[in-house]
């Protein structure tokens, strides 16, 4: 990686910036004393006299908790020709970085989170894209599924180097559905077949967090911060991600990237949707209420364990930037046997159809986490050792237990304690799974739900003191409710790519305010 190294004379220390982390370079009018953005430059008189020709380099600076900031360093030259040579050379180096996007399609959900999407984009993100000479087409959505349908049918995707969504996990899910469906249609792939091998999407997706949970951003960047996310887009990062497909009776329902949760998380979501006016706090309210109702659900979970992989859900190591396991698609054997290593295991690989396991019983929660699902509420996540791009999902089964024990389990999500180290919890790293609720024997499941059983569920939900449990919960699929309880799920290894790099290990910090350098 090429590095621009500069000496900071005022401190007598040296500091290097990788070209890949330079955002832009521009001339500076020393006489005027201000930057392009109007910020006042403090320049010693002697320096400006001896070196009157200046230029400013904007680059990525790392701050605490995985936060990135745009910093400026100003260089002073003794003559104008030298300055032009420097500016031209840096611009040539930046142009050679082919992974950087030049033209982006941006969707803003004005309705997600605290309804600040437009303001966040205009104030924090658009100026950075402009500084990095990225042009954009911006669409503020007018209704749910606007972005999904636009991507699926209308958007001229060839014009763009990526798609950016400003919103939460639900908005990101819309973008994924639009892009994945469009890619399958363009390649003649039938999404309704659970066995079908899907074609990966070529366009990368950027997430500017402006939703309620924003767990996909948090788990891929390490923080929910619009500026940090915008900078990851500008430098052209690329992080592959697994995607789960969800089917019911050979009919495609949805894709899931983070959490598929039945029981507790399904009930929290169903209740919280009626309280959207509360904003992100709706999850705390509904979470507490759902915890008090303490409903369990009966059924059978069958699953195909990923036995041929590196890593387990109980590992102490974490998926981080440059993760070794994800680089090898999670496979145990790589390198020596070319055929084995080239093909990522996928839901369509028949050889994996052997060795299914089955667990029957009463469950408080059935969760599938294709990634850690870390978020501000749970900084380690639902499955702290899950990988972003290993072709597996962690299936977490929480059996019926006392309220006290369930509370202990939930509270462990907020600390470093192991939430799986409890007798009523089991976790399996799987490639596929199915769930069949006990009362679901055939296709009439939905009819039943819409009639008597649904009514029964509602009565029980409204009377938490009642000791009986409803027959069905709902699936929470990245924050959207699924209409079916009986589902079949398969993981598609690295189907999409984000403008992210995974969570970086924490660096040491230096405080370099407004450095000035002589060349
Ligand atoms: C009594 C203490 C309880 C503490 C429990 C903490 C556990 C939190 C784990 C959260 C996992 C979140 C997984 C992500 C799900 C999102 O996809 C989804 C939609 O997000 P968004 O579109 O941005 O709103 N969010 C949820 O389903 C919220 C679940 C909150 C549960 C309390
Ligand atoms: N303009 C709009 N009006 C209403 N709903 C929208 C609009 N644009 C997107 N949506 C929907 O809003 C829902 C929530 O969006 P999201 O950005 O995830 O916010 P939150 O994190 O608060 O749930 C998603 O289901 C998405 O489809
Ligand atoms: Ca995974």
């Amino acid at each position: 990686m090429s590095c621009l190294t500069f000496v900071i004379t005022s401190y007598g220390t040296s500091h290097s910036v990788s070209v890949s982390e330079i955002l832009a370079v521009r001339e500076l009018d020393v006489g005027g004393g201000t930057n392009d953005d109007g910020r006042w430059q403090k320049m010693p008189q002697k320096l400006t006299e001896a070196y009157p020709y200046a230029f400013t380099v904007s680059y990525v600076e790392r701050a605490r908790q995985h936060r990135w900031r745009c910093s400026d360093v100003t260089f002073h030259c003794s003559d104008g020709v030298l300055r032009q040579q420097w500016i031209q050379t840096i611009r040539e180096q930046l142009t050679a970085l082919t992974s950087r996007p030049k033209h982006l399609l941006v969707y803003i959900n004005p309705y997600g989170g605290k309804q600040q999407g437009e303001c966040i984009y205009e104030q924090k993100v658009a100026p950075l894209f402009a500084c990095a000479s990225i042009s954009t087409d911006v669409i503020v959505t007018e209704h749910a599924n606007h972005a999904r349908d636009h991507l699926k049918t209308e958007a001229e995707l060839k014009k763009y180097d990526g798609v950016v969504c400003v919103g939460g996990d639900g908005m990101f899910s819309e973008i994924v559905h639009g892009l994945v469906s469009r890619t399958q249609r363009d390649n003649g792939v039938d999404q309704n077949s659970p066995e079908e091998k899907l074609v990966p999407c070529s366009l990368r997706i950027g997430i500017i967090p402006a939703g309620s949970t924003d767990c996909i951003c948090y788990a891929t960047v390490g923080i929910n911060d619009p500026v940090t996310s915008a900078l990851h887009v500008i430098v052209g990062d690329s992080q592959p991600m697994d995607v789960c497909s969800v089917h019911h009776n050979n009919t495609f329902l949805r894709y899931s990237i983070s959490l598929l949760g039945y029981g507790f998380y399904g009930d929290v979501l169903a209740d919280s949707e009626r309280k959207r006016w509360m904003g992100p706090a709706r999850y705390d309210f509904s979470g507490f209420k759902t915890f008090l109702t303490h409903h369990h659900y009966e059924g059978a979970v069958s699953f195909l364990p990923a036995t041929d992989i590196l890593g387990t859900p109980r590992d102490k190591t974490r998926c981080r930037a440059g993760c070794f396991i994800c680089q090898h698609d999670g496979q145990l054997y790589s390198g020596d046997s070319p055929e084995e290593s080239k093909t990522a295991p996928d839901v369509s690989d028949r050889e994996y159809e052997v060795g299914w396991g089955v667990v029957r019983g009463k469950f408080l929660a059935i969760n599938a986490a294709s990634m850690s699902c870390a978020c501000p509420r749970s900084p380690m996540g639902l499955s702290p050792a899950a990988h972003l791009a290993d072709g597996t999902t962690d299936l977490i089964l929480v059996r019926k237990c006392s309220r006290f024990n369930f509370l202990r389990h939930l509270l462990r999500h907020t600390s470093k304690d192991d939430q799986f180290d409890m007798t009523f919890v089991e976790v399996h790293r799987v490639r596929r799974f199915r769930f069949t609720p006990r009362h679901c024997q055939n296709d009439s499941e939905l009819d039943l739900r819409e009639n008597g059983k649904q009514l029964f569920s509602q009565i029980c939900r409204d009377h938490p003191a009642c000791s009986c449990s409803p027959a069905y919960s709902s699936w929470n699929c990245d924050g959207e409710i699924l209409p079916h309880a009986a589902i079949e799920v398969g993981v598609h290894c690295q189907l999409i790519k984000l403008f992210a790099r995974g969570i970086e290990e924490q660096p040491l910090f230096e405080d370099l305010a407004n450095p000035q350098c002589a060349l």
Side-chain angles (χ1 to χ4, degrees):
M1 188 182 290
S2 53
C3 275
L4 174 69
T5 307
F6 50 86
V7 178
I8 298 168
T9 49
S10 52
Y11 297 99
T13 55
S14 83
H15 184 66
S16 77
V17 176
S18 158
V19 169
S20 66
E21 294 188 357
I22 291 178
L23 307 171
V25 57
R26 61 192 180 279
E27 274 181 30
L28 181 74
D29 176 7
V30 174
T34 58
N35 236 329
D36 281 1
D37 59 8
R39 270 184 287 159
W40 191 255
Q41 296 285 294
K42 281 188 220 145
M43 284 177 228
Q45 178 93 19
K46 276 188 191 160
L47 192 65
T48 51
E49 277 168 14
Y51 303 94
Y53 299 94
F55 63 93
T56 298
V57 174
S58 301
Y59 65 99
V60 170
E61 190 167 55
R62 285 166 177 75
R64 280 164 220 289
Q65 292 171 334
H66 309 288
R67 204 179 286 274
W68 281 14
R69 282 286 165 260
C70 173
S71 271
D72 288 345
V73 57
T74 298
F75 296 87
H76 298 262
C77 309
S78 51
D79 72 88
V81 177
L82 180 62
R83 167 168 76 174
Q84 273 322 110
Q85 279 174 344
W86 271 103
I87 292 177
Q88 197 182 330
T89 305
I90 294 172
R91 286 198 177 137
E92 278 166 11
Q93 297 250 2
L94 294 181
T95 310
L97 299 171
T98 51
S99 61
R100 289 199 173 190
K102 293 181 185 65
H103 195 43
L104 293 169
L105 176 56
V106 180
Y107 293 98
I108 304 176
N109 178 1
Y111 168 81
K114 295 180 182 159
Q115 310 194 336
Q116 296 294 304
E118 281 176 279
C119 177
I120 288 172
Y121 182 76
E122 289 308 327
Q123 291 182 3
K124 300 190 170 177
V125 179
L128 287 172
F129 284 172
C131 163
S133 306
I134 294 176
S135 61
T136 52
D137 287 335
V138 179
I139 297 176
V140 179
T141 61
E142 286 164 15
H143 52 84
N145 295 326
H146 180 171
R148 182 197 68 184
D149 296 342
H150 184 257
L151 276 169
K152 231 184 199 175
T153 52
E154 283 172 57
E156 255 190 273
L157 297 184
K158 283 200 180 81
K159 276 171 49 185
Y160 302 105
D161 305 309
V163 178
V164 169
C165 76
V166 185
D169 294 334
M171 189 58 189
F172 175 74
S173 168
E174 273 202 35
I175 305 294
V176 169
H177 281 81
L179 275 183
V180 174
S181 297
R182 172 86 172 256
T183 308
Q184 307 322 306
R185 199 195 58 205
D186 290 352
N187 288 278
V189 174
D190 177 13
Q191 293 181 97
N192 282 320
S193 164
E195 303 289 322
E196 196 78 58
K197 189 172 173 75
L198 301 180
V199 176
C201 300
S202 50
L203 285 182
R204 281 168 290 172
I205 310 172
I207 311 175
I208 305 298
S212 300
T213 311
D214 298 318
C215 101
I216 298 162
C217 177
Y218 194 95
T220 53
V221 174
I223 190 164
N224 288 339
D225 173 54
V227 169
T228 305
S229 291
L231 294 175
H232 280 283
V233 174
I234 293 171
V235 301
D237 274 347
S238 185
Q239 171 64 53
M241 301 267 297
D242 297 336
V243 175
C244 286
S245 59
V246 187
H247 287 80
H248 170 84
N249 280 350
N250 287 324
T251 306
F252 168 72
L253 294 183
R254 280 193 79 85
Y255 294 113
S256 164
I257 299 92
S258 57
L259 165 71
L260 257 171
Y262 188 79
F264 182 73
Y265 290 102
D267 294 351
V268 170
L269 185 71
D271 190 73
S272 69
E273 279 301 298
R274 296 190 284 269
K275 298 179 180 62
R276 267 209 166 263
W277 55 269
M278 291 174 91
R282 70 190 183 278
Y283 290 135
D284 301 317
F285 180 88
S286 299
F288 185 61
K289 184 175 161 192
T290 306
F291 167 73
L292 288 180
T293 57
H294 199 60
H295 284 153
H296 63 267
Y297 301 92
E298 220 169 331
V301 187
S302 41
F303 56 89
L304 184 63
T307 49
D308 55 336
I309 49 157
L310 287 164
T312 79
R314 306 291 297 273
D315 288 343
K316 293 288 168 236
T317 51
R318 303 288 175 247
C319 183
R320 289 290 177 264
C323 173
F324 175 80
I325 289 177
C326 293
Q327 276 175 6
H328 294 86
D329 310 321
Q331 282 182 288
L332 188 53
Y333 305 106
S334 61
D336 294 344
S337 160
E339 288 321 306
E340 231 173 2
S341 59
K342 269 182 201 154
T343 323
D346 208 299
V347 289
S348 59
D349 289 354
R350 283 258 159 211
E351 61 190 283
Y352 290 99
E353 293 279 336
V354 287
W356 282 68
V358 60
V359 178
R360 282 175 232 278
K362 295 175 177 170
F363 303 98
L364 288 173
I366 298 167
N367 301 322
S370 305
M371 48 187 267
S372 70
C373 293
C375 59
R377 272 188 190 81
S378 172
M380 306 297 280
L382 279 182
S383 191
H387 287 271
L388 294 170
D390 66 341
T392 72
T393 188
D394 288 351
L395 182 62
I396 305 157
L397 307 176
V398 186
R399 288 179 185 273
K400 186 183 170 195
C401 62
S402 67
R403 262 200 194 85
F404 176 69
N405 273 337
F406 190 48
L407 180 64
R408 282 176 55 226
H409 169 69
L410 287 178
L411 286 177
R412 286 191 185 187
H413 290 84
T414 62
S415 70
K416 287 194 173 151
D417 294 340
D418 183 356
Q419 61 262 47
F420 304 139
D421 188 18
M422 307 183 113
T423 53
F424 53 92
V425 181
E426 55 187 283
V427 56
H428 306 271
R429 190 155 280 181
V430 308
R431 295 201 186 280
R432 305 181 64 93
F433 73 92
R434 295 187 190 111
F435 174 67
T436 314
R438 182 169 169 226
H439 298 281
C440 169
Q441 304 297 333
N442 51 41
D443 283 354
S444 59
E445 178 201 335
L446 256 191
D447 303 339
L448 278 174
R449 298 186 75 183
E450 274 156 22
N451 298 313
K453 300 275 179 186
Q454 191 64 37
L455 182 65
F456 172 62
S457 308
Q458 194 55 49
I459 291 168
C460 288
R461 274 180 197 161
D462 293 345
H463 297 88
C466 172
S467 61
C468 54
S469 264
Y472 301 108
S473 172
S474 323
W475 282 96
N476 173 339
C477 179
D478 294 348
E480 304 295 313
I481 297 171
L482 288 184
H484 299 267
I487 58 167
E488 174 172 357
V489 178
V491 189
H492 298 265
C493 189
Q494 307 190 0
L495 191 66
I496 57 168
K497 277 183 283 194
L498 296 198
F499 283 110
R501 59 174 64 174
I503 298 174
E504 293 184 306
E505 300 295 350
Q506 293 274 27
L508 294 171
F509 295 99
E510 291 170 54
D511 224 350
L512 295 168
N514 234 349
Q516 309 286 322
C517 313
L519 290 170

